[in-house]
Structure formats: C-alpha cells, structure tokens
Amino acid sequence: MEDRVRVVIAEDSVLLREGLTRLLTDRGHDVVAGVGDGEALIKTITELDAQGELPDVVVADVRMPPTHTDEGVRAAVQLRKAHPGLGVLVLSQYVEERYATELLAGSSRGVGYLLKDRVAEVREFVDAVVRVAEGGTALDPEVVAQLLGRSRKQDVLAGLTPREREVLGLMAEGRTNSAIARQLVVSDGAVEKHVSNIFLKLGLSPSDGDHRRVLAVLTYLKS
C-alpha cells in the first residue's frame, strides 16, 4: 500500500473518470472530487483550498470541453502557478510536445505527463500519481523520447554517451537508480557513475541537491 494521497480527477469521459476513481480508491487513496472540464477543475480546487482541504494531486485530461483542445493543460498550468505545492498529472491520448513543454517549463516538482494507454498498467499509473503527489516527477517514456529527441537536435545533450542518454531517459520517467539498474541489467554502482557523469556534463553542481535529477532532463527546455 502506497502512502494515502488525496486526488481530484478532471476527465470529461464519465467512464474513464469512474475507472480512474476505482483504480485509486482500490489502492486506498481518496478521490475527493471528480469534474468534467477545466473551469470546474479550477473552481473545485479554489473551493477546497478555501476550506483548507487542498488535495495532494490533480489528475487531468489535456483536452476537455468546451473545445476539446487544451483546456485541461491550461487549467493545470494555472493551478500550478496558484498552488505551487499541488501536484499535477496530465493524461493525453497522444504525445503533444507543446503541452508537455508548457507544463514542464515552470517548477519541475510535482508534475507528470502520461499517455492514457499507461493507465492500463495499473501499478505504474498509481505509483506515478503518488510520486507526483509527493513532489516527484512522472513522465511517459514516449514523452521523454520525443523531448530528448528534440534536445539532441539542439545539441543540448551532445556530450552524453548513448548509455548516459538512456539512463537520463529512465531518470525522466521518475525511476530510482536501483530501478534503472534493474531495467538495464547493470549494477547500482554503474548507474550511479552514469548519473554523476550526466550531472557533470550538464553543469549541475551538488548544490542543486536531489533536484538535479529533474533539472538534468529539463535543461534543454530552457535552452
């Protein structure tokens, strides 16, 4: 059982909203509200905050009524500015680089971007919700691949070896060093060495603390 978190879900599909609610409540988490559009999401969070009941994380669809374009992600960006401590995990049918960049351009704590297909991997999805609620990062592997692909074109990561790029991609998904070691079938020490090299090559000093793991992935977004 993960640490219990309080969640608000914003999804216009009633079936998916109810499904997400069931997945989370079955794991012992509290879904305190469910809404169907960005305006209702902002109103709900504002009301909960006024009551001193701000949730730990919002799970929101990128596209919601009335236009089904970017209402969800715009609401998410607005909420992150108004409530810096609120985790935001957005779900999207496809990788939409502009929306991912907009969401990640501010503070890199407590943010996630997953494809909806990832919800079928229940444990990974719930783990991502908890990680974002606790101030971590959860990025879909396909999102990472596209964003890192763009960064290579900009030569931001030109100094990294292929293995270091692979480790960086797994870091961006929110995996720990031990999880990366299992994925790549190498020792924890080997991963620690790769991570140290990544920090060094990207100019991230120890003074940046644990935040370096996210900064390493998002450096190119600010270039």
Side-chain angles (χ1 to χ4, degrees), residues 177-178 180-182 186-197:
N177 285 1
S178 295
I180 294 173
R182 290 193 297 271
V186 298
S187 69
D188 287 2
V191 173
E192 290 174 5
K193 182 176 180 181
H194 288 312
V195 172
S196 295
N197 287 340

Side-chain angles (χ1 to χ4, degrees), residues 12-13 20 22-23 50 59 61 69-70 91 93 178 197 222:
D12 62 293
S13 167
L20 293 173
R22 179 66 181 271
L23 289 179
V59 177
D61 190 359
T69 54
D70 62 352
L91 303 177
Q93 192 68 41
S178 295
N197 287 340
K222 299 184 173 83

Side-chain angles (χ1 to χ4, degrees), residues 22-211:
R22 179 66 181 271
L23 289 179
L24 291 166
T25 56
D26 281 354
R27 287 275 183 164
H29 302 298
D30 297 325
V31 177
V32 297
V35 298
D37 61 71
E39 184 177 341
L41 172 60
I42 292 173
K43 180 180 179 181
T44 297
I45 295 300
T46 300
E47 291 175 348
L48 288 171
D49 185 40
Q51 298 165 11
E53 297 290 340
L54 191 70
D56 300 303
V57 61
V58 166
V59 177
D61 190 359
V62 165
R63 298 172 180 262
M64 288 193 290
T67 68
H68 292 279
T69 54
D70 62 352
E71 283 85 357
V73 74
R74 282 195 289 108
V77 170
Q78 184 176 333
L79 288 173
R80 281 174 59 75
K81 291 178 180 178
H83 308 283
L86 176 66
V88 174
L89 173 62
V90 299
L91 303 177
S92 179
Q93 192 68 41
Y94 311 102
V95 177
E96 300 179 85
E97 185 177 316
R98 177 170 66 88
Y99 297 153
T101 302
E102 185 177 3
L103 185 68
L104 297 168
S107 170
S108 52
R109 289 186 56 81
V111 63
Y113 189 113
L114 296 180
L115 296 184
K116 287 187 175 180
D117 289 346
R118 209 65 59 186
V119 176
E121 301 170 19
V122 176
R123 182 169 184 81
E124 289 192 19
F125 168 69
V126 177
D127 286 349
V129 172
V130 174
R131 189 159 64 245
V132 171
E134 294 177 344
T137 305
L139 299 182
D140 194 283
E142 292 189 33
V143 174
V144 172
Q146 283 206 20
L147 295 179
L148 291 182
R150 186 182 73 167
S151 73
R152 283 197 290 271
K153 293 176 184 177
Q154 297 174 340
D155 266 347
V156 176
L157 306 179
L160 301 185
T161 66
R163 176 61 95 180
E164 287 166 354
R165 292 178 190 231
E166 190 173 10
V167 170
L168 180 55
L170 293 171
M171 286 166 58
E173 293 173 29
R175 298 175 187 259
T176 64
N177 285 1
S178 295
I180 294 173
R182 290 193 297 271
Q183 177 75 17
L184 300 181
V185 195
V186 298
S187 69
D188 287 2
V191 173
E192 290 174 5
K193 182 176 180 181
H194 288 312
V195 172
S196 295
N197 287 340
I198 290 168
F199 292 157
L200 178 64
K201 292 179 180 180
L202 294 183
L204 299 172
S205 67
S207 62
D208 292 314
D210 293 338
H211 203 44

